[in-house]
Amino acid sequence: QFLNVEKMEDIMRERNFQMSALVYPSSAVAMGRDLGIHSFVYGHLTGVVTNDTGVRQVSKTNTVDWPIYNDKGKVTGYEKLTAYWTEYYHDTSASITATYEIVQVENRGTTAQPEVVTQRQDSYSYGALNSGDERAVPYAAKDMLQRRPRDPKTVEALVQECLNELADSMALNLVRQFR
């Protein structure tokens, strides 16, 4: 992966910010007074867990006795029908845990907030008839054979959804606190 000058500058700005006193709750009160700030919010991601199972294949076989009817609609015998198909399963998931605290400059108080957890998952399954007679496929599996293959959301997309939900949840909690 290549970095252009703009990306490197962004990284350096973030690094300098992370090394400054702004990121430490212990220095928030003094800095808040100097800057005229009422409160600071400090947060930490305490856990990020992702999982991508990859595609799992399960080979299936089913044999049925299919009735043979005469021209009067009477069953005259049975024919053995067999179907062979493959079912494909793919699952992805992400979970993010975060904590945050509010440092109030005026009264030098710190209020720890409850841990926030967001989770997302996506699954997809489909099937393909390999050989045999489709009439032997059980009714529950026929729906799977009609689905088009697709991949579930990537773990990166699920992490982004978790982060968005986390930000929304924390913002809502902060609005409630400062009303």
Side-chain angles (χ1 to χ4, degrees):
Q1 182 175 2
F2 295 98
L3 292 177
N4 61 27
V5 173
E6 184 178 305
K7 184 68 173 170
M8 285 178 50
E9 288 172 352
D10 288 344
I11 291 169
M12 291 305 293
R13 270 194 298 277
E14 178 64 22
R15 183 176 167 271
N16 290 337
F17 174 73
Q18 290 292 329
M19 293 175 61
S20 74
L22 287 170
V23 296
Y24 298 105
S26 58
S27 60
V29 173
M31 190 173 2
R33 284 197 182 122
D34 293 344
L35 298 173
I37 295 173
H38 179 268
S39 299
F40 282 94
V41 177
Y42 289 92
H44 304 276
L45 294 180
T46 56
V48 177
V49 178
T50 61
N51 185 39
D52 185 339
T53 64
V55 177
R56 296 182 320 276
Q57 298 180 16
V58 180
S59 297
K60 299 281 188 157
T61 303
N62 192 48
T63 301
V64 296
D65 290 325
W66 195 263
I68 300 171
Y69 296 94
N70 65 14
D71 56 353
K72 294 181 180 174
K74 186 175 181 190
V75 175
T76 59
Y78 292 91
E79 174 185 11
K80 289 234 182 264
L81 301 179
T82 303
Y84 304 91
W85 71 98
T86 304
E87 295 177 353
Y88 301 89
Y89 300 90
H90 192 169
D91 304 308
T92 55
S93 63
S95 174
I96 296 180
T97 306
T99 60
Y100 68 101
E101 61 184 320
I102 300 169
V103 177
Q104 297 190 0
V105 173
E106 291 175 7
N107 62 8
R108 298 176 183 231
T110 300
T111 308
Q113 300 301 305
E115 189 172 70
V116 181
V117 178
T118 60
Q119 298 175 329
R120 286 283 187 273
Q121 65 183 34
D122 193 22
S123 301
Y124 193 70
S125 58
Y126 62 95
L129 184 65
N130 300 329
S131 64
D133 195 314
E134 190 173 340
R135 293 176 292 176
V137 175
Y139 187 73
K142 286 186 181 190
D143 176 57
M144 185 178 281
L145 293 179
Q146 294 174 356
R147 293 184 202 150
R148 294 184 150 198
R150 78 156 176 88
D151 287 326
K153 293 179 181 176
T154 64
V155 292
E156 292 82 4
L158 294 175
V159 165
Q160 187 61 54
E161 287 180 13
C162 285
L163 287 171
N164 291 343
E165 182 182 334
L166 190 68
D168 291 347
S169 173
M170 291 171 75
L172 187 59
N173 286 341
L174 289 170
V175 166
R176 286 186 192 134
Q177 280 228 309
F178 288 108
R179 280 195 173 162

